[in-house]
């Protein structure tokens, strides 16, 4: 099983041949699960010699465009190519209705002969707390990412066991070490979003915050979703490193 980072950049990354920090989980049987589908997805897949035809399923963690903005492209590209079938869409049951109503319906309700729904384009799986993708058991981890008028909006990282390796993929989260520590401890490898700007947005974990974590946690933590420009030295702070665009992890 392989995890390939299509890109490692933040929502506003441009240039440097980097893209949004979506990733492709390649199963041993050749199937693939796209972890988030941001607006850059068609470009980042193309950089790897891949296209919409190579995506069997997609998991969406939350509404932000760098995580869901490519879904309209994926839906239409698959819909009008008779050589491929509908992809599976996995997301929290809290996300899917609003994902369709607010993010997708305006661009996808364009069919002459039917009143399209999200099921027109995807085999949707409304996930409660976990799902099984082709034998891979994936647990949703609610994260504290952003609020709307003081109310937490749904956002979910994932935790799964790839062969014998336990993997935590935060997608996006604020720095909440007390809350996430049980998952940090349980994971063999951690992929953690990490801001690297001089200022803090307040919706992501910042490098200066993450470097305060215990050494035994940092040494299994890979950092991604970072900002353009010069990066701090992760090894000197005890981290496994910054993930490189298109880096492959084999489990």
């Amino acid at each position: 099983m392989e995890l390939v980072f299509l890109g490692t950049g933040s929502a506003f990354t441009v240039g440097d041949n980097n893209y949004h920090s979506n990733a492709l989980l390649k199963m041993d049987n050749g199937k693939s699960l796209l972890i988030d589908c941001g607006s850059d997805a068609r470009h980042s897949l193309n950089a790897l010699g891949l296209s919409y035809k190579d995506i069997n399923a997609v998991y969406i963690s939350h509404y932000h465009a760098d995580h869901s903005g490519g879904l309209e492209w994926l839906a239409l590209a698959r819909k009008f190519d008779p050589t491929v079938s509908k992809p599976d869409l996995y997301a929290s049951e809290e996300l899917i209705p609003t994902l369709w109503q607010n993010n997708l319906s305006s661009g996808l309700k364009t069919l002459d002969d039917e009143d399209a729904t999200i099921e027109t384009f995807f085999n949707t799986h409304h996930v409660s707390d976990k799902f099984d993708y082709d034998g891979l058991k994936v647990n949703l981890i609610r994260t504290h990412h952003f609020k709307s008028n003081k109310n937490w909006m749904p956002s979910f990282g994932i935790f799964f066991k790839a062969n014998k390796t336990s993997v935590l993929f935060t997608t996006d989260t604020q720095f909440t070490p007390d809350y996430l520590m049980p998952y940090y401890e349980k994971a063999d490898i951690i992929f953690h979003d990490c801001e690297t700007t001089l200022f803090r947005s307040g919706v992501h974990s910042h490098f200066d915050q993450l470097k305060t974590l215990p050494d035994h946690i940092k040494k299994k933590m890979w950092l991604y979703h970072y900002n353009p420009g010069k990066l701090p030295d992760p090894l000197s702070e005890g981290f496994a490193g910054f993930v490189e665009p298109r880096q492959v992890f084999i489990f």
Side-chain angles (χ1 to χ4, degrees):
M1 191 178 299
E2 295 182 356
L3 181 68
V4 184
F5 275 80
L6 305 185
T8 57
S10 70
F12 309 115
T13 292
V14 291
D16 296 329
N17 200 26
N18 201 358
Y19 301 98
H20 291 151
S21 54
N22 309 153
L24 191 64
L25 190 61
K26 295 184 175 181
M27 310 294 286
D28 293 336
N29 62 5
K31 291 186 177 180
S32 61
L33 173 68
L34 181 61
I35 302 173
D36 282 330
C37 185
S39 304
D40 288 350
R42 67 191 189 279
H43 302 296
S44 57
L45 285 166
N46 183 68
L48 284 169
L50 303 174
S51 74
Y52 64 88
K53 293 185 178 184
D54 299 292
I55 305 304
N56 302 108
V58 59
Y59 166 75
I60 297 297
S61 63
H62 63 286
Y63 305 127
H64 285 159
D66 57 321
H67 295 262
S68 68
L71 277 179
E72 182 179 316
W73 158 77
L74 180 63
L76 291 172
R78 301 275 302 203
K79 174 69 174 175
F80 294 106
D81 185 341
T83 67
V84 293
S85 57
K86 285 195 294 186
D88 289 295
L89 171 64
Y90 295 90
S92 167
E93 59 192 5
E94 298 177 42
L95 281 170
I96 290 179
T98 305
L99 185 67
W100 171 251
Q101 188 61 39
N102 292 358
N103 294 47
L104 296 175
S105 65
S106 59
L108 294 180
K109 273 184 166 290
T110 55
L111 303 180
D112 287 338
D113 55 352
E114 65 177 295
D115 186 16
T117 69
I118 196 168
E119 291 286 353
T120 305
F121 301 94
F122 298 99
N123 299 313
T124 58
H125 302 265
H126 298 241
V127 181
S128 172
D129 57 354
K130 58 187 174 182
F131 65 92
D132 187 310
Y133 178 66
D134 204 46
L136 180 72
K137 298 184 181 348
V138 181
N139 294 276
L140 270 59
I141 308 299
R142 185 182 295 274
T143 60
H144 301 96
H145 178 30
F146 66 108
K147 292 181 178 179
S148 175
N149 192 25
K150 300 182 180 179
N151 296 309
W152 286 109
M153 299 299 286
S155 183
F156 298 86
I158 53 176
F159 190 98
F160 57 90
K161 194 163 189 176
N163 293 323
K164 295 183 179 181
T165 304
S166 295
V167 180
L168 172 63
F169 200 111
T170 61
T171 66
D172 285 354
T173 182
Q174 295 181 24
F175 185 61
T176 55
D178 291 342
Y179 171 68
L180 288 176
M181 191 58 69
Y183 303 104
Y184 290 162
E185 294 283 3
K186 191 188 303 184
D188 298 311
I189 186 169
I190 302 165
F191 299 105
H192 209 298
D193 58 310
C194 173
E195 283 187 338
T196 52
T197 49
L198 294 177
F199 57 89
R200 300 179 187 180
S201 70
V203 297
H204 288 283
S205 302
H206 193 277
F207 183 84
D208 289 341
Q209 295 172 312
L210 291 169
K211 71 182 184 182
T212 67
L213 290 170
D215 290 343
H216 74 284
I217 299 297
K218 290 189 293 183
K219 73 179 183 180
K220 57 184 178 180
M221 184 176 286
W222 286 87
L223 307 174
Y224 71 98
H225 205 292
Y226 46 81
N227 305 87
K230 184 176 175 60
L231 297 175
D233 180 5
L235 300 183
S236 68
E237 296 294 344
F239 294 104
F242 281 107
V243 183
E244 296 286 339
R246 291 164 292 284
Q247 187 170 346
V248 179
F249 294 85
I250 299 175
F251 307 120

